[in-house]
Amino acid sequence: MGAKAKKAVLLLVCYLLLLGWYAPAQLLRVFLPADMRVGSFSGSLWQGSLHQFNWRNVTLPELKWQFTWSSWQPALRLALHDPQGIQGSGTLRGWLSLQLYQWQLSAPAGFVQQQLPLPLPITAQGKLQLRLQQGEFSSHGCSSLSGGVANWQNAQLASPLGELLLSNVQAQLSCDAKGALALVLKQDSSHLNLTGRGSLGFDGRYQFSGQLRSGPQLPDVMKPLMNQLGRVDDQGQIAWQVQGKLF
């Protein structure tokens, strides 16, 4: 290849890179799955945002992204913003597998409770916060998690019979042998003691099983509500299970 041809190829490559760099984010609409809806796009492919994002049961007014590099891997820095729902930020990176790096998410407990309908007329109050240092996912599901903690702050459950006060509920997150997201939950307050384990699969199926125990200051008016969850055993505990599908 002559010198002129090499210069022409170099100019062409630079021109294509320039076009790609300034390509509008609107081009992403072509690649969206059929069940995903976006109201509008702004910015470029490399740094932009989408507005009025809807996918299954999730709605976000705004999602921002920026293409970058992290630990010598291509990465996307994402920021989610919804004053009434999920807010957070973190990095997606990886070559052959998907890695989540330094994620923080928060949402009103009521928003999450709407996705997990309970068998009793109860509404959740407080805020849920999720912190994840690093996680890796493949086509088979969850491969590894480190530093995964979920906290329910100022936790309360409101029912027609009154309020059930909970201490800050904490759950440790990990991966189970089937590739599902697993959690170990515990909380202990003057109204209620709860321990248990659960899992959430990539197909949206979830299950949780645990033990409930009435606290020393549980209001008498709430005790009939507790009895609807199951029979109290000799240790004063109620075995509680819930399962279903998010989407």
Side-chain angles (χ1 to χ4, degrees):
M1 182 181 295
K4 291 185 177 181
K6 291 181 180 179
K7 289 182 180 179
V9 171
L10 179 60
L11 288 174
L12 178 60
V13 171
C14 292
Y15 178 69
L16 292 176
L17 290 175
L18 187 63
L19 286 179
W21 184 259
Y22 289 102
Q26 179 68 24
L27 292 177
L28 292 175
R29 190 180 294 276
V30 179
F31 303 99
L32 292 179
D35 60 345
M36 192 176 291
R37 298 286 185 271
V38 175
S40 62
F41 292 83
S42 60
S44 68
L45 289 177
W46 309 102
Q47 183 173 351
S49 60
L50 52 84
H51 311 275
Q52 298 304 317
F53 171 82
N54 290 276
W55 180 62
R56 296 177 177 177
N57 294 332
V58 178
T59 300
L60 287 173
E62 184 178 52
L63 171 63
K64 296 182 179 180
W65 73 84
Q66 179 181 5
F67 179 81
T68 183
W69 291 87
S70 175
S71 298
W72 302 100
Q73 300 178 85
L76 281 176
R77 291 179 180 168
L78 299 177
L80 299 75
H81 180 65
D82 179 2
Q84 305 301 321
I86 299 176
Q87 299 189 67
S89 62
T91 299
L92 296 178
R93 68 186 187 187
W95 293 102
L96 300 178
S97 62
L98 179 65
Q99 296 181 15
L100 277 66
Y101 181 63
Q102 292 186 340
W103 272 88
Q104 294 188 23
L105 295 172
S106 67
F111 173 84
V112 179
Q113 182 256 323
Q114 292 173 7
Q115 318 304 319
L116 300 167
L118 298 174
L120 300 174
I122 292 177
T123 57
Q125 302 174 7
K127 178 179 285 188
L128 288 168
Q129 292 189 327
L130 170 66
R131 298 192 308 273
L132 177 63
Q133 177 63 27
Q134 186 169 334
E136 185 170 356
F137 301 84
S138 67
S139 58
H140 301 291
C142 181
S143 302
S144 64
L145 284 180
S146 62
V149 179
N151 287 292
W152 182 4
Q153 299 180 342
N154 301 318
Q156 296 185 36
L157 294 175
S159 76
L161 298 179
E163 291 186 344
L164 188 64
L165 303 180
L166 308 175
S167 63
N168 288 341
V169 184
Q170 186 176 82
Q172 300 290 332
L173 305 178
S174 61
C175 300
D176 69 12
K178 297 181 179 180
L181 183 64
L183 65 86
V184 177
L185 183 147
K186 63 179 180 179
Q187 85 83 34
D188 190 13
S189 73
S190 60
H191 282 191
L192 184 71
N193 173 273
L194 169 63
T195 59
R197 296 175 177 269
S199 64
L200 172 63
F202 271 47
D203 59 355
R205 298 185 183 277
Y206 65 88
Q207 66 84 26
F208 180 85
S209 60
Q211 301 289 331
L212 289 168
R213 183 196 300 271
S214 299
Q217 298 181 24
L218 179 69
D220 291 338
V221 70
M222 298 292 292
K223 291 180 180 179
L225 187 62
M226 292 285 295
N227 294 335
Q228 294 185 38
L229 294 174
R231 178 175 298 179
V232 180
D233 63 17
D234 295 337
Q235 286 75 41
Q237 296 181 332
I238 298 174
W240 182 52
Q241 294 185 354
V242 61
Q243 60 184 2
K245 190 174 183 180
L246 293 180
F247 45 80

